[in-house]
Amino acid sequence: MLELVRERVRGIAGNPATPPDLLVRMLDHRPAGLAVLIFRGALPDEVCRAVAAHPDRQLRLTLADCGSATGEQRALLVDDPEPTIRTSLAAGPDLFRGTPDPLPEAAYARLAADPVRRVREALADSRQCPEQVRARLADDPDPVVRSTAYARWADPPEEVTDRLLADPDEGVRRVVARHACRRRPGLLPGVLDTTWSDGWHLAAVAVDAPLDRASAERLARHEDPMVRAAVAENPHLPPDLVDALAVDPEPKVRLRLSVRPGLTEAERGAIDYRVRPTDRISPARWVLAHLDDPEALDEAVRSAHVGLRRSAAYSRHLRPDQVARLAADEDFAVRLLLCENHDAVPGEVLLATYLQARVITAGMLIQRPNFPRVGLARLADSADPRARRLVRYDPDAPAELIDRLSRDPDDGVRAWTAADPRLGPDRVAELLDDPATAGAAAGNRKLPIEMIEGILAEAGVPGAGVTVTPSTGEG
């Protein structure tokens, strides 16, 4: 029963019909309050103001890392008394969940002057830190902050590089040299000497630094295959070393060499590499550098090398003919990446790819602009429960069909359908008693306010004074 109550509360937290004043009341109940920040989309300003002033540290920490909150809402925490919360605010929400709204510039400036080092370091490590604030951090009293600010700077001014190459701290000088050697090749031999035993940092340099002959030979013969794989993609690698790495005993070295720029299709095909359908491989760097240039991508789009076609599928700027070609690709990963990134993918391709996908991000395809809605009711009798779930997105699906699917033998189908506003209130009440559907039913925007109040009262949310017991009718 306790888990059933928790599921209902999670649904109420994400329900667009739940009034802001009830959301604020939920903050004083630990599981319910966190649910508001975790399971809801856009947050009302009054909720964020209440969180910022709330004594519960975990609530405030969750807001600092909340990707659905605006920058202005998260910035309410800029003077929070807890350094851990200010550190999380400075770092920003996880970019995996999408590009978060940036903080106001005044908030970044305040965090750059924070008395706690780890707050300033987190800000220096953030890709969203404004350039003028990053410049201030590059002159920070703490050497870790200075080096971190420089390492994340995409295009630091030459005078900043000069100053930090002469920094009194050896660690700062090493970090700056490691990043500046791409612009100043004379620094490379020293960087290799100081980084030689650090495969991760050495690989980051080896992949694109301008190489003199001696440095190229050292890197191509390094004992760490990660370093050899990185230098295999370096466009400055001499031809004879390309030939040597083409027969490297390590498969991942040969694979990275096979996607390097400048090779002909015949030369790529002559390399003994393998990419299985289920293999996850890093995109080719030269392709990623040209994602906004369809003409430059044509070689990758038409290549027999599946790794290059997968790399091209990351582009949002492909021409219609390139989209059509990749949409018909025999490799599922190519089609999936294309669907995830390009708005012009035909609806039937999106639908087929979604039904075939078994990855955690598959649900994102449903939100793509061309994903079909009208006509999905035809899937109601599909043997695949993932297909039956989609019927709820069809605006023309009759209420009777939605009701039928809310009684489907598959838990997932029932759960997806439970949030559909075409369901009658009695049926929604019944679904609140089904552990598989309680959360989705509580998130149904047609749920009466009296029932929302009752669910919160049952959960012990302060101030929820109306108790409504959901129906236990069969269904």
Side-chain angles (χ1 to χ4, degrees):
M1 183 62 182
L2 182 59
E3 184 55 35
L4 192 66
V5 171
R6 287 175 179 163
E7 284 298 317
R8 292 171 181 165
V9 168
R10 290 183 190 122
I12 295 298
N15 192 323
T18 305
D21 63 307
L22 286 190
L23 296 174
V24 171
R25 277 163 43 191
M26 291 172 71
L27 298 178
D28 290 329
H29 186 268
R30 186 57 172 300
L34 290 176
V36 169
L37 299 175
I38 295 171
F39 296 102
R40 198 168 186 85
L43 290 164
D45 286 342
E46 52 262 60
V47 171
C48 294
R49 287 194 294 269
V51 171
H54 204 281
D56 189 324
R57 174 182 177 276
Q58 187 60 45
L59 272 180
R60 305 197 314 275
L61 187 60
T62 304
L63 175 60
D65 190 44
C66 182
S68 60
T70 67
E72 287 78 7
Q73 290 172 336
R74 300 197 316 275
L76 294 168
L77 298 165
V78 72
D79 292 318
D80 193 277
E82 288 275 353
T84 300
I85 292 171
R86 302 197 306 275
T87 300
S88 181
L89 178 66
D94 188 348
L95 288 172
F96 176 77
R97 295 175 290 191
T99 303
D101 191 37
L103 300 174
E105 190 166 323
Y108 285 118
R110 182 78 63 86
L111 291 168
D114 197 281
V116 177
R117 189 203 81 177
R118 69 177 184 270
V119 175
R120 305 194 307 277
E121 183 183 354
L123 179 60
D125 198 42
S126 169
R127 296 189 184 279
Q128 291 193 298
C129 179
E131 188 165 306
Q132 58 271 29
V133 175
R134 188 172 299 282
R136 183 186 310 176
L137 293 169
D139 200 29
D140 193 89
D142 190 278
V144 174
V145 176
R146 295 198 300 275
S147 59
T148 304
Y150 188 88
R152 283 295 194 188
W153 204 333
D155 188 22
E158 292 299 316
E159 59 269 23
V160 174
T161 300
D162 288 336
R163 185 178 77 247
L164 294 181
L165 282 172
D167 194 274
D169 186 88
E170 182 183 7
V172 174
R173 298 196 301 271
R174 286 187 176 188
V175 169
V176 173
R178 193 165 66 236
H179 289 270
C181 68
R182 294 169 177 82
R183 294 183 178 86
R184 303 184 183 189
L187 296 171
L188 184 59
V191 169
L192 298 190
D193 288 341
T194 57
T195 319
W196 196 251
S197 61
D198 186 336
W200 192 87
H201 281 124
L202 190 60
V205 171
V207 73
D208 61 357
L211 300 175
D212 58 77
R213 178 70 198 189
S215 296
E217 288 184 352
R218 289 182 70 187
L219 290 167
R221 294 175 181 140
H222 197 279
E223 64 179 9
D224 189 338
M226 177 170 63
V227 175
R228 301 199 305 276
V231 79
E233 276 200 87
N234 191 307
H236 308 288
L237 193 66
D240 62 310
L241 295 179
V242 171
D243 293 340
L245 291 177
V247 293
D248 192 278
E250 179 62 43
K252 67 181 177 184
V253 175
R254 301 194 302 272
L255 174 60
R256 297 319 297 171
L257 187 85
S258 70
V259 299
R260 66 175 280 109
L263 296 182
T264 66
E265 282 291 289
E267 288 170 332
R268 294 190 200 283
I271 299 170
D272 180 21
Y273 72 88
R274 183 173 72 158
V275 180
R276 294 170 297 189
T278 55
D279 285 346
R280 301 184 68 177
I281 61 175
S282 300
R285 290 176 61 89
W286 71 269
V287 177
L288 292 183
H290 293 92
L291 289 184
D292 59 351
D293 185 353
E295 303 308 316
L297 292 180
D298 212 49
E299 176 187 346
V301 170
R302 298 179 180 278
S303 177
H305 197 304
V306 67
L308 291 182
R309 302 198 307 277
R310 289 185 185 181
S311 302
Y314 282 92
S315 173
R316 304 178 190 274
H317 304 281
L318 296 169
R319 302 188 308 257
D321 63 298
Q322 293 172 324
V323 171
R325 187 181 186 94
L326 294 179
D329 200 280
E330 63 181 7
D331 182 70
F332 174 73
V334 170
R335 302 195 303 275
L336 176 62
L337 288 165
L338 181 72
C339 289
E340 289 177 341
N341 290 288
H342 206 289
D343 289 345
V345 178
E348 63 271 16
V349 176
L350 283 165
L351 177 58
T353 303
Y354 166 78
L355 291 175
Q356 187 180 352
R358 293 296 184 270
V359 294
I360 194 171
T361 56
M364 297 170 59
L365 299 185
I366 300 173
Q367 308 307 321
R368 301 300 294 163
N370 284 353
F371 195 90
R373 296 287 195 274
V374 175
L376 291 176
R378 71 184 187 276
L379 302 175
D381 295 313
S382 170
D384 183 355
R386 297 177 78 246
R388 300 198 301 277
R389 294 176 196 175
L390 295 177
V391 173
R392 65 160 291 196
Y393 293 103
D394 188 339
D396 297 333
E400 296 78 10
L401 179 58
I402 299 301
D403 185 89
R404 190 190 101 193
L405 290 172
S406 76
R407 306 170 195 275
D408 194 275
D410 182 83
D411 287 352
V413 175
R414 297 199 310 280
W416 279 45
T417 310
D420 196 302
R422 285 167 288 195
L423 287 173
D426 290 343
R427 181 59 188 148
V428 174
E430 292 169 353
L431 291 166
L432 285 168
D433 288 331
D434 181 347
T437 61
N444 193 309
R445 67 174 184 265
K446 288 295 185 68
L447 197 68
I449 186 63
E450 296 82 4
M451 193 167 288
I452 291 176
E453 286 270 13
I455 290 170
L456 294 181
E458 186 178 17
V461 173
V466 180
T467 301
V468 177
T469 304
S471 166
T472 56
E474 295 179 7

